[in-house]
Amino acid sequence: MYYTIEGKRFLCILYVAGLLLGSVFINLSIQMNLFRTTDFLGFVEYIQSLKGLDTSAFFSYVCLVRFRQLLIFFVCLFIFSPYVVFCVLDFLVSVLMGFFISTLVLYYGWPGMIKGIGFLIPHYIFYGILLCAIYIYLFQKTPLSKMYMFSTEKRFSFMKKGKIFENKIVVAGFCILMFVLGCYGEAYLNPAILKIFFH
């Protein structure tokens, strides 16, 4: 049931609900004077810290932090129901994204929504692919190789026979590749992108 249309639709609905909840919470909190916009402007200090950044040391730091997060994620997959873990992760990420985007909009106006994209590319693309690959591997009932079989021509016959995309080692290697690319993008490419978005 997890890989059915209903299962994926529920994750999408949960993500949208988290975005709305995070956005509404921040706006109500500021209107009720519980928080100020400046309380959430840690990203300004982060941008300023990018000047003269030691990218090699930053890459090591990013790898350490993301590996620790990924390790906690896998431990939770073994302890709890994997689908529940994905639902909780989906909801938490969306709530935090709602917080973040709303803060940028309050500070910069609607262009802040565009500026928020600068914080997410390109590393979140790779992290997203990584999580999608894990989700598909865990819950898809049909073989993973069928995702890649768009033709019945002979050049794909070796994949069909070997079922290469069902191999745990291949899937693990792909996930490791996405993880490394995500860390590299976050440490080396994202700071350059942020300097463009935030002059």
Side-chain angles (χ1 to χ4, degrees):
M1 63 172 284
Y2 304 119
Y3 198 72
T4 59
I5 295 177
E6 290 77 12
K8 291 180 288 186
R9 184 179 298 166
F10 179 73
L11 286 174
C12 293
I13 293 173
L14 201 61
Y15 189 85
V16 173
L19 284 176
L20 293 175
L21 178 63
S23 178
V24 169
F25 177 78
I26 286 297
N27 283 276
L28 288 178
S29 299
I30 291 175
Q31 288 181 3
M32 296 172 62
N33 295 321
L34 297 176
F35 299 106
R36 297 171 299 175
T37 308
T38 53
D39 294 335
F40 302 97
L41 295 182
F43 62 87
V44 175
E45 297 177 359
Y46 172 73
I47 295 171
Q48 293 175 348
S49 69
L50 296 178
K51 298 178 181 179
L53 180 69
D54 184 355
T55 51
S56 298
F58 188 51
F59 177 70
S60 301
Y61 172 76
V62 168
C63 288
L64 179 63
V65 172
R66 298 308 178 195
F67 178 76
R68 187 167 51 194
Q69 293 173 344
L70 192 63
L71 184 62
I72 294 174
F73 173 72
F74 277 112
V75 169
C76 291
L77 287 180
F78 283 103
I79 297 176
F80 307 103
S81 169
Y83 189 71
V84 172
V85 174
F86 269 94
C87 288
V88 172
L89 178 64
D90 183 51
F91 185 71
L92 288 178
V93 169
S94 62
V95 169
L96 293 175
M97 191 65 64
F99 286 175
F100 183 64
I101 296 298
S102 295
T103 303
L104 286 170
V105 171
L106 289 171
Y107 189 72
Y108 291 105
W110 289 111
M113 189 173 294
I114 305 299
K115 291 179 180 292
I117 297 175
F119 283 92
L120 306 178
I121 54 177
H123 51 293
Y124 268 83
I125 296 174
F126 297 115
Y127 295 146
I129 293 174
L130 168 63
L131 292 175
C132 287
I134 296 173
Y135 180 84
I136 292 171
Y137 183 77
L138 289 176
F139 300 121
Q140 182 169 295
K141 296 180 180 179
T142 56
L144 278 176
S145 55
K146 291 184 179 179
M147 289 181 57
Y148 304 90
M149 298 299 102
F150 298 110
S151 173
T152 57
E153 296 179 13
K154 292 182 180 180
R155 63 175 176 270
F156 291 112
S157 61
F158 76 97
M159 291 185 180
K160 290 181 179 179
K161 291 179 182 178
K163 296 182 179 180
I164 186 171
F165 293 106
E166 294 181 45
N167 193 319
K168 293 182 179 179
I169 297 177
V170 173
V171 176
F174 177 77
C175 290
I176 292 172
L177 176 63
M178 291 298 103
F179 177 79
V180 172
L181 289 176
C183 292
Y184 180 85
E186 186 173 0
Y188 289 96
L189 303 180
N190 184 251
I193 293 173
L194 288 178
K195 291 177 182 178
I196 297 174
F197 277 74
F198 300 87
H199 300 291

